[in-house]
């Protein structure tokens, strides 16, 4: 030992071997990772496994020991991962060809199942991507383009998420969210024709609303005329002479006044004309 202690090269070799042994035995598991410890490719135990609602700082993260050279660590992300879908061609129920961009967010909740079925997060994403595209086509293919702009959109996203979750569970994953980023009509004549159809539909709806309004106005006007006629009838029954005088004054106004001004037209009537009876006074009407 004294001879080794006096040999710096031997000391350096021993230090390197010790460091290699320590590095192969001890590892630090971060909060953002799950560790599957395998021996000859077979999983042995899981460190820092995801548990819903478990706060950071109280997980199994930290130092972990393993058998050097026999056991290795497979790292699996605990964070939310993403599957992106770009420029998908989708045909809606009203025969509109749409360009759709969508994404799904998922988390690995069973690292052992994920390791045995897919090995890596990238493999999980590759398995989920065609399922997301298929679920998207199925949902949008059953609805018109306008459904994307209505409250029905929320139900569509829920249906896509449920369909995607059925497959995600097979890989130890859980879908957190599904969203459509963009849904546009292709540029050019399809887009112009779609706008024209939408414009025609809105114009038809406006004409229908106007017709309903005109119908309601006629009903209200007829009801008002009927009520006015009833009021006149009641007034006539209560005081026939006043009612006769009032109606005569209205007739004189219509006959002798033009456009709100005293007219210059000449009306020639005999003094005993019945039309002028109100001008002769009460005492002369009986003569």
């Amino acid at each position: 030992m004294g001879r080794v202690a006096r040999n710096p090269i031997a000391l350096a070799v021993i230090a390197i071997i010790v460091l290699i042994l320590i590095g192969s035995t001890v590892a630090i598991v971060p909060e953002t990772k799950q560790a599957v410890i395998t021996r000859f490719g077979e999983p042995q135990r899981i460190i820092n496994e995801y548990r819903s609602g478990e706060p950071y700082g109280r997980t199994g993260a930290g130092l972990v020991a393993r058998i050097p050279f026999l056991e290795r660590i497979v790292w699996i992300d605990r964070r939310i991962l993403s599957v992106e879908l770009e420029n998908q061609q989708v045909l809606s129920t009203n025969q509109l060809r749409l360009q759709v961009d969508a994404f799904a967010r998922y988390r690995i909740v069973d690292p052992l199942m994920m390791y045995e079925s897919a090995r890596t997060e990238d493999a999980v994403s590759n398995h989920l991507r065609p399922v997301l595209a298929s679920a998207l086509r199925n949902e949008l293919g059953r609805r018109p383009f306008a459904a994307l702009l209505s409250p029905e959109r929320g139900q569509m996203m829920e249906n896509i998420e449920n369909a995607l979750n059925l497959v995600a569970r097979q890989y130890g994953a859980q879908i957190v969210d599904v969203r459509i980023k963009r849904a546009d009509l292709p540029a050019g004549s399809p887009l112009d024709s779609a706008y024209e159809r939408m414009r025609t539909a809105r114009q038809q709806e406006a004409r229908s609303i106007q017709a309903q309004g005109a119908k309601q106005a006629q009903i209200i006007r007829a009801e008002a005329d009927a009520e006015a006629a009833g009021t006149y009838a009641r007034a006539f029954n209560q005081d026939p002479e006043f009612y006769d005088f009032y109606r005569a004054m209205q007739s004189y106004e219509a006959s002798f006044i033009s456009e709100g001004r005293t007219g210059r037209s000449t009306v020639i009537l005999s003094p005993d004309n019945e039309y002028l009876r109100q001008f002769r006074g009460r005492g002369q009407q009986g003569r």
Side-chain angles (χ1 to χ4, degrees), residues 22-30 35 37 47 61-66 73 75:
I22 293 175
S24 301
T25 304
V26 179
I28 299 176
V29 180
I37 298 180
I47 308 298
L63 292 175
V64 59
R66 55 180 169 164
I73 297 178
W75 301 105

Side-chain angles (χ1 to χ4, degrees), residues 248 250-258 261-269 275-276 279:
Q250 287 184 320
S251 178
Y252 295 157
E253 181 180 11
S255 300
F256 303 137
I257 298 178
S258 175
R261 304 183 304 273
T262 55
R264 295 189 177 186
S265 60
T266 302
V267 179
I268 301 174
L269 296 172
Y275 184 67
L276 301 176
F279 288 117

Side-chain angles (χ1 to χ4, degrees), residues 119-134:
R119 297 293 178 177
T120 65
E121 296 100 326
D122 289 340
V124 174
S125 296
N126 291 336
H127 285 295
L128 293 179
R129 190 171 289 108
V131 179
L132 175 59
S134 176

Side-chain angles (χ1 to χ4, degrees), residues 92-108:
S92 67
T93 187
N94 52 349
Q95 301 303 308
L96 293 179
R97 194 172 300 275
L98 309 177
Q99 294 278 0
V100 179
D101 294 345
F103 66 86
R105 301 281 188 253
Y106 71 94
R107 174 185 277 124
I108 304 298

Side-chain angles (χ1 to χ4, degrees), residues 110 122 133 139 154 174 216 225 231 248 277:
D110 190 339
D122 289 340
E139 275 302 313
Q174 180 184 34
Q216 292 296 325
D225 291 342
T231 302
R277 66 185 182 278

Side-chain angles (χ1 to χ4, degrees), residues 29-213:
V29 180
E31 291 279 0
T32 59
K33 297 291 184 180
Q34 304 174 85
V36 178
I37 298 180
T38 64
R39 186 181 303 166
F40 303 114
E42 294 295 325
Q44 300 297 312
R45 60 189 184 278
I46 299 172
I47 308 298
N48 198 29
E49 183 177 2
Y50 172 79
R51 294 181 180 84
S52 179
E54 186 176 49
Y56 279 96
R58 298 184 181 179
T59 61
L63 292 175
V64 59
R66 55 180 169 164
I67 301 174
F69 308 114
L70 296 180
E71 294 181 340
R72 75 182 189 92
I73 297 178
V74 178
W75 301 105
I76 299 174
D77 212 317
R78 290 180 96 243
R79 295 169 295 185
I80 294 177
L81 306 174
S82 178
V83 177
E84 300 287 340
L85 208 59
E86 302 288 342
N87 294 325
Q88 289 296 306
Q89 293 278 348
V90 178
L91 187 66
S92 67
T93 187
N94 52 349
Q95 301 303 308
L96 293 179
R97 194 172 300 275
L98 309 177
Q99 294 278 0
V100 179
D101 294 345
F103 66 86
R105 301 281 188 253
Y106 71 94
R107 174 185 277 124
I108 304 298
V109 296
D110 190 339
L112 179 59
M113 181 179 291
M114 192 231 81
Y115 175 76
E116 292 176 342
S117 59
R119 297 293 178 177
T120 65
E121 296 100 326
D122 289 340
V124 174
S125 296
N126 291 336
H127 285 295
L128 293 179
R129 190 171 289 108
V131 179
L132 175 59
S134 176
L136 195 65
R137 290 193 187 96
N138 290 338
E139 275 302 313
L140 295 183
R142 294 201 299 262
R143 291 175 171 81
F145 175 62
L148 292 173
L149 308 176
S150 69
E152 192 178 354
R153 181 187 180 112
Q155 183 62 46
M156 293 168 52
M157 296 299 98
E158 184 176 349
N159 293 342
I160 295 173
E161 182 176 335
N162 292 336
L164 196 56
N165 248 327
L166 293 176
V167 179
R169 294 193 193 102
Q170 302 174 15
Y171 301 99
Q174 180 184 34
I175 303 301
V176 177
D177 193 18
V178 177
R179 286 287 181 270
I180 293 177
K181 295 191 296 185
R182 182 179 67 92
D184 293 333
L185 295 165
S189 58
L191 181 61
D192 296 337
S193 62
Y195 284 155
E196 185 61 31
R197 285 195 295 269
M198 294 171 66
R199 186 182 301 110
T200 301
R202 297 291 83 77
Q203 290 174 349
Q204 291 176 349
E205 184 178 359
R207 285 194 292 268
S208 176
I209 293 173
Q210 289 176 348
Q212 290 293 331

